[in-house]
Amino acid sequence: MSGQLALGMSGPGARIAGEAASYLQGLNPEQRAAVTAEDGPLLVLAGAGTGKTRVLTTRLAHILLTGRARPHEVLAVTFTNKAAREMVERVEGLIGRSVAGLWLGTFHAMGVRMLRAHAELVGLKPGFTILDADDQERLAKQIIQAAALDERRWPARALVAIIQRWKDRGYRPDQVPAVEVGDFALGKGIELYRAYQERLLTLNACDFGDLLLHGLTLLTGNPDLLAQYQRRFKAILVDEYQDTNVAQYLWLRLLAGGHKNITCVGDDDQSIYSWRGAEVGNILRFEQDFPGAAVIRLERNYRSTGHILAAASGVIARNRHRHGKTLWTEGEAGELVRVAGLWDDEEEARFVADEIEAWQRRGGKLTETAVLVRAGFQTRAFEERFIQVGLPYRVVGGPRFYERAEIRDAIAYFRVVCQPDDDLALERIINLPRRGIGESTLKALRTAARAAEVSLLQAARAMSQTDELPTRARNALVELIATFDRWRAELGEKSPRELAETILDESGYTAMWKAEHSPDAPGRLENLKELVKAVQEFDTLPGFLEHVSLVVENATEPDADLVTIMTLHGAKGLEFDNVFLAGWEEGLFPSQRAIDEGGTKALEEERRLAYVGMTRARRRLTISFAANRRIYNQWSSSVPSRFIDELPPEHIEHLHRNPATRPDLGSFLDDEPFRARSTSRFRTQRVEGAKLIEGRAEILQTRPVGRSGAFKTGERIFHPKFGYGRIEAIDGNKLDIAFEKSGRKKVIDSFVEPA
């Protein structure tokens, strides 16, 4: 009978036949045990690269083929539509027939299917509308306006994020605990939430959070309906259980509360999405929720080499709150994991580019190469270096650095300063941030500009002196034009960096993002800081804009051989032969902001993120850190991430790059006092240009140290990065130096020594 068992077949005979079926061949003992486990609660702890998807789909096929349930009696939940489609295809391939009627899809898809059938029980009609993100924000804006609140101080996007967080935790407006209220809108968050929900009912609509929240209301408020669904679903299977939020967890527990025949597959060591509601505690307490549950560990890895797995296991073992497991492989040990210490982030980008080019010369494919970073702003240095050396690349999970919305906005300001007739740039930012210049005013300006055959700014200058525009718009234009004139006059007076900072600050653009409470606001601010850093590398602001134009034009064919650049969060589920993990420094990774906000719990998630990054590599893994990183014109002396110290030394190779001219940063890792301290929480003291680290001022002792305050104009010096040069001017501890090969630079005196 093998793989041709009838769907209706059941009983011990069917199970025995099923165990000999062809679809079980090729499974290792642990995988086979997970697939053929008896009914009841089952937790499959599937480590990275251990065949999780195969186990889940084969178990679903096994349940159907052995007659434990028919397709319409099975609920299978995934996190993406792609995963759901693939599961259907695989199961149908295994059983040789359609699985029509199977409840298989994402949590939201299953939630809406249930809600459509019982909409009236939560005050909706079956044809209700599901709002997208833009609709949600517009509705939230209406609620804020109706409450007479300042939209600039309490933006709609922030309210949407707060409401979504409450819904992810399963809270209706009357259930939000006082500790969750916070200070948004002067503590009126719950009132706004209630008004938002009432408005949704009036519109016969719901948002994505409601698809599960209403589902909880349906099941908890209607015992007969709950019993009906508990009888219907004879088997429940859940993928990526470590990523479930509280609402999803409660929904699953209710549905499995009768027969308790639930299979959850996941890996607590890969729970990295708490920022979007995921609760790792769901998978950690599975055995408490379902006493007597079977737990099967999948630890045999089919992806990575032995050294990579051992290094990753050594790091993640430091987490206290986890189910214990250790990945292993029957494959080769492979190369040691390489750790490279570089002088600064630009040197890091050069190092990675050189390594990738060498890899390519040896026959490696760029498509099998990835650069993974903790924060989006880190991509700029790699993008620019790859463009310089001609390495084709793509940024996955987001736009390229110069294509990000906040960067385009900032550059639009710069363009108008440098080229007043740039109408497209002016239109982009004329009311950003909001300054009372609405669409009707902009339409009038366009009409006047076309009629007079002048630029938009010239038309605005003329109309601001007449009574044709509303008073508020006219006053706003007068102020904006005067501001642009002032910035333009400073083009030759201020350095490009100083002018860029002035524009972003005085325009209110930076303040706009600082006032924004949405989850992506901090990242946008970091990107703006990185933009200012990029501007500093150029002699003029127009020169920078020309450079940006060339960067943006560097398009590549979609099917070309490309290096992948992406964040660690975006890399989950992917794998590459050659992986670079960049920026492993305290404060950046682990993120100091995350630790400050979440403490030990956040640190453990950061460590899980490191584990995820390491296990993306199949053949070669390189970890890098920089001793110095410049953010918003401030040098930050960095120490290697504590995660580097947690790497098992027997699986690591420390790289030393060009020791004649570069600091021997690899020696940091062999410094016993440093290693002893690195297990504790480091704090980097940021002082412009100073290379000070708390309790360890000499940590950069391997670089040349100058005679602070003892240099003279005209003196020839040497800088470890820029080479030989001559001092042109001195301002305190800042030296203005004309370098022989690097041009004119301003540096700190402690970085140079007499030539």
Side-chain angles (χ1 to χ4, degrees):
M1 297 179 69
S2 187
Q4 304 300 317
L5 290 173
L7 290 183
M9 189 173 184
S10 61
R15 283 194 289 274
I16 294 171
E19 289 174 1
S22 60
Y23 61 85
L24 295 176
Q25 296 176 7
L27 298 176
N28 66 40
E30 293 76 24
Q31 292 173 331
R32 187 184 180 104
V35 167
T36 60
E38 294 296 323
D39 290 348
L42 170 65
L43 176 62
V44 181
L45 292 171
T50 59
K52 166 185 69 69
T53 303
R54 183 181 184 184
V55 166
L56 189 64
T57 54
T58 308
R59 179 162 177 79
L60 175 52
H62 183 71
I63 289 171
L64 296 174
L65 287 169
T66 56
R68 297 186 189 181
R70 291 169 292 182
H72 69 276
E73 297 172 330
V74 175
L75 171 65
V77 190
T78 66
F79 269 85
T80 66
N81 291 316
K82 179 182 177 183
R85 289 193 299 270
E86 291 177 352
M87 188 175 293
V88 169
E89 292 171 1
R90 292 192 187 192
V91 172
E92 289 183 341
L94 288 171
I95 68 175
R97 66 194 65 201
S98 170
V99 290
L102 183 70
W103 282 59
L104 192 159
T106 65
F107 277 99
H108 288 132
M110 297 300 95
V112 74
R113 183 171 177 179
M114 186 180 292
L115 193 55
R116 293 277 185 209
H118 312 285
E120 68 283 351
L121 295 179
V122 293
L124 293 169
K125 299 173 184 176
F128 60 82
T129 300
I130 302 174
L131 302 187
D132 61 19
D134 288 340
D135 292 332
Q136 287 178 260
E137 193 167 332
R138 279 196 293 272
L139 179 57
K141 182 177 180 180
Q142 293 173 15
I143 299 301
I144 289 170
Q145 289 174 340
L149 292 167
D150 184 349
E151 297 173 55
R152 291 170 297 181
R153 186 177 181 188
W154 315 113
R157 185 181 299 181
L159 177 59
V160 169
I162 291 170
I163 290 175
Q164 184 60 52
R165 185 176 74 241
W166 287 337
K167 290 184 178 182
D168 286 345
R169 299 189 67 79
Y171 297 140
R172 295 190 301 268
D174 60 332
Q175 296 175 316
V176 178
V179 70
E180 290 272 351
V181 174
D183 59 359
F184 183 84
L186 304 176
K188 296 179 180 178
I190 294 178
E191 297 175 29
L192 298 175
Y193 182 17
R194 184 176 294 108
Y196 177 88
Q197 291 301 98
E198 290 172 353
R199 183 60 178 157
L200 282 175
L201 290 178
T202 301
L203 296 172
N204 192 38
C206 63
D207 60 24
F208 274 87
D210 285 327
L211 299 181
L212 266 294
L213 189 65
H214 284 325
L216 291 176
T217 302
L218 280 175
L219 299 177
T220 57
N222 301 276
D224 292 342
L225 184 64
L226 172 60
Q228 174 187 325
Y229 276 107
Q230 287 177 338
R231 289 192 299 270
R232 175 178 190 136
F233 296 131
K234 294 183 178 179
I236 298 175
L237 298 95
V238 187
D239 191 16
E240 304 284 11
Y241 190 59
Q242 78 280 350
D243 292 334
T244 53
N245 60 37
V246 174
Q248 293 162 344
Y249 161 80
L250 294 173
W251 187 73
L252 289 169
R253 278 198 63 187
L254 286 168
L255 292 174
H259 53 67
K260 295 181 174 56
N261 187 24
I262 181 171
T263 298
C264 292
V265 179
D267 182 6
D268 52 304
D269 289 336
Q270 296 188 71
S271 180
I272 58 174
Y273 297 124
S274 65
W275 49 275
R276 67 184 189 195
E279 176 52 66
V280 67
N282 295 347
I283 192 170
L284 294 178
R285 63 170 171 265
F286 185 86
E287 294 170 89
Q288 299 174 22
D289 294 335
F290 299 99
V295 178
I296 296 176
R297 288 169 169 78
L298 305 183
E299 298 173 308
R300 181 177 176 181
N301 180 279
Y302 294 91
R303 175 190 300 159
S304 306
T305 63
H307 283 307
I308 292 172
L309 293 179
S313 296
V315 171
I316 198 63
R318 299 297 185 102
N319 273 4
R320 295 178 57 190
H321 302 95
R322 62 186 292 259
H323 290 290
K325 62 181 179 301
T326 302
L327 298 184
W328 61 278
T329 180
E330 290 185 343
E332 60 182 13
E335 297 182 40
L336 293 168
V337 175
R338 307 182 311 154
V339 176
L342 291 313
W343 177 248
D344 60 16
D345 45 352
E346 293 180 6
E347 175 72 6
E348 182 180 49
R350 287 194 292 272
F351 164 74
V352 171
D354 291 348
E355 289 290 315
I356 292 174
E357 288 184 315
W359 163 267
Q360 190 180 30
R361 287 194 296 270
R362 293 194 298 269
K365 293 183 178 180
L366 298 184
T367 52
E368 292 299 339
T369 301
V371 179
L372 308 182
V373 297
R374 175 62 179 88
F377 76 86
Q378 292 175 259
T379 70
R380 186 195 66 84
F382 294 104
E383 291 185 58
E384 298 214 354
R385 184 59 185 172
F386 290 178
I387 288 170
Q388 289 172 10
V389 300
L391 268 178
Y393 71 93
R394 60 181 173 184
V395 177
V396 176
R400 295 180 177 217
F401 182 81
Y402 289 110
E403 294 170 355
R404 290 176 166 88
E406 65 276 13
I407 301 303
R408 284 186 175 274
D409 291 341
I411 287 175
Y413 271 104
F414 302 163
R415 283 166 55 186
V416 176
V417 171
C418 297
Q419 178 46 266
D421 294 335
D422 191 334
D423 288 359
L424 292 177
L426 180 61
E427 283 197 33
R428 183 180 182 97
I429 48 82
I430 194 168
N431 198 40
L432 189 69
R434 292 187 181 96
R435 49 176 63 94
I437 305 174
E439 185 58 37
S440 60
T441 299
L442 188 55
K443 184 177 180 180
L445 292 176
R446 290 194 197 104
T447 301
R450 284 195 298 268
E453 296 184 348
V454 297
S455 70
L456 200 63
L457 188 59
Q458 287 176 294
R461 193 182 296 276
M463 293 188 72
S464 67
Q465 304 302 317
T466 70
D467 296 324
E468 298 169 275
L469 298 175
T471 302
R472 183 186 178 194
R474 186 170 65 250
N475 291 339
L477 276 177
V478 169
E479 182 178 352
L480 183 62
I481 291 168
T483 303
F484 270 115
D485 288 344
R486 185 175 68 254
W487 293 335
R488 199 168 297 115
E490 294 173 342
L491 269 172
E493 299 174 0
K494 291 186 174 181
S495 69
R497 174 195 60 77
E498 291 172 327
L499 183 55
E501 288 178 334
T502 298
I503 293 170
L504 292 178
D505 290 342
E506 293 185 357
S507 66
Y509 191 75
T510 299
M512 180 188 78
W513 284 114
K514 286 181 178 179
E516 176 73 63
H517 296 286
S518 62
D520 59 343
R524 293 184 188 273
L525 286 168
E526 290 295 335
N527 289 338
L528 291 174
K529 294 176 183 178
E530 187 68 14
L531 177 66
V532 171
K533 172 184 172 182
V535 171
Q536 181 168 296
E537 301 300 318
F538 294 82
D539 295 330
T540 66
L541 195 57
F544 168 74
L545 293 177
E546 181 179 319
H547 167 76
V548 171
S549 298
L550 296 174
V551 169
V552 173
E553 282 297 313
N554 190 65
T556 53
E557 294 296 325
D559 298 326
D561 192 24
L562 306 171
V563 177
T564 296
I565 304 176
M566 65 194 310
T567 64
L568 287 162
H569 283 101
K572 186 172 178 292
L574 303 178
E575 55 187 70
F576 304 88
D577 283 346
N578 187 20
V579 172
F580 293 86
L581 303 179
W584 278 41
E585 300 137 29
E586 283 295 308
L588 180 56
F589 189 49
S591 164
Q592 191 61 53
R593 185 174 68 238
I595 295 174
D596 288 344
E597 294 175 358
T600 301
K601 185 176 180 180
L603 174 59
E604 293 211 344
E605 179 156 330
E606 291 286 295
R607 189 175 281 112
R608 293 194 293 269
L609 192 56
Y611 172 81
V612 166
M614 296 176 73
T615 54
R616 299 312 93 196
R618 287 191 290 249
R619 294 170 51 193
R620 167 176 276 208
L621 175 62
T622 305
I623 298 169
S624 61
F625 66 91
N628 309 286
R629 201 169 285 273
R630 188 174 61 216
I631 300 177
Y632 217 2
N633 197 41
Q634 286 190 329
W635 279 103
S636 171
S637 300
S638 305
V639 292
S641 167
R642 69 191 74 191
F643 301 152
I644 290 179
D645 193 65
E646 294 170 1
L647 295 166
E650 63 271 23
H651 301 288
I652 303 302
E653 174 189 5
H654 297 301
L655 302 184
H656 302 270
R657 191 169 196 225
N658 196 3
T661 59
R662 299 290 176 191
D664 186 6
L665 299 178
S667 65
F668 287 0
L669 302 176
D670 300 323
D671 186 310
E672 288 305 321
F674 172 76
R675 291 178 62 85
R677 282 180 54 82
S678 65
T679 57
S680 63
R681 180 176 172 183
F682 281 94
R683 291 184 297 157
T684 301
Q685 182 179 3
R686 293 187 176 183
V687 180
E688 183 177 6
K691 296 298 181 271
L692 300 176
I693 298 175
E694 282 192 351
R696 182 71 187 207
E698 296 80 24
I699 198 166
L700 297 179
Q701 59 189 350
T702 52
R703 65 158 173 79
V705 179
R707 306 167 306 178
S708 179
F711 291 99
K712 297 179 181 180
T713 303
E715 185 175 356
R716 194 165 185 264
I717 55 82
F718 175 79
H719 187 283
K721 178 178 178 180
F722 301 124
Y724 291 96
R726 196 168 297 278
I727 300 173
E728 298 286 326
I730 300 175
D731 179 12
N733 69 333
K734 302 186 189 75
L735 307 180
D736 197 342
I737 300 174
F739 288 99
E740 296 172 3
K741 294 184 178 180
S742 304
R744 193 157 179 155
K745 304 283 185 183
K746 185 172 289 187
V747 301
I748 305 302
D749 58 10
S750 59
F751 282 78
V752 302
E753 63 180 355

